[in-house]
Amino acid sequence: MIKKITQVLFTVAIVLLLVSCKNTKQKLQEYVNTYNSTAATFKGEHVTLTTARGYINDNKVELRFETNLPENDSNKAAASISFPKLLKDMINKNQIPKELIKEGVQFDAYFLANDNTVLNKEVLNNETLDVLLKE
């Protein structure tokens, strides 16, 4: 009788474990939903709005950081220094999860001027993650 109960409990535990495991696509979608729902609380210098868009079939997330900065050479130069630091801080705070990057999800992050032109773009993937975190 105890053997039967043990087998049933073991089977239930395995089923629960399998059901609770999420694949990368599910984690990507969950991340995008969570990011967008908490984006209003995001604090970044000159950032007025940030949003995430998931491309599930491409295993990619696009992060957009809209700013109040005009598009000019000095702002582009400043963004090339400050934006990687912002992304590094977000990774360290798990606002951009290393786990997803290590599972093959690519993050395309755009730092945009007030007219939506690109001041800086950073690609976060397995190859660029270590370089960014060392800087």
Side-chain angles (χ1 to χ4, degrees), residues 3 6 13 29 31 33 42 45 48-49 61 66 71 74 77-78 82-83 89 91 93 97 99 104-105 114:
K3 186 175 180 181
T6 304
Q29 188 61 46
Y31 169 77
N33 291 339
F42 181 81
E45 190 175 355
T48 57
L49 177 68
V61 173
E66 297 178 20
E71 192 255 334
S74 65
S82 65
F83 191 48
D89 287 344
I91 291 168
K93 293 176 183 175
E99 174 188 346
V105 175
N114 58 3

Side-chain angles (χ1 to χ4, degrees), residues 38-119:
T38 61
T41 62
F42 181 81
K43 302 275 190 256
E45 190 175 355
H46 303 290
V47 176
T48 57
L49 177 68
T50 181
T51 57
R53 180 178 297 155
Y55 298 94
I56 293 174
N57 292 331
D58 296 332
N59 253 9
K60 183 165 57 169
V61 173
E62 178 182 283
L63 297 176
R64 296 172 49 93
F65 298 86
E66 297 178 20
T67 71
N68 56 6
L69 300 170
E71 192 255 334
N72 59 42
D73 289 339
S74 65
N75 284 336
K76 283 185 178 184
S80 70
I81 296 168
S82 65
F83 191 48
K85 288 180 183 177
L86 172 68
L87 295 175
K88 181 179 178 179
D89 287 344
M90 289 180 74
I91 291 168
N92 289 334
K93 293 176 183 175
N94 205 34
Q95 292 171 322
I96 299 174
K98 283 188 229 177
E99 174 188 346
L100 279 178
I101 295 171
K102 292 183 184 212
E103 288 181 24
V105 175
Q106 176 175 303
F107 285 78
D108 292 345
Y110 298 91
F111 198 70
L112 304 172
N114 58 3
D115 62 356
N116 281 334
T117 55
V118 177
L119 293 173

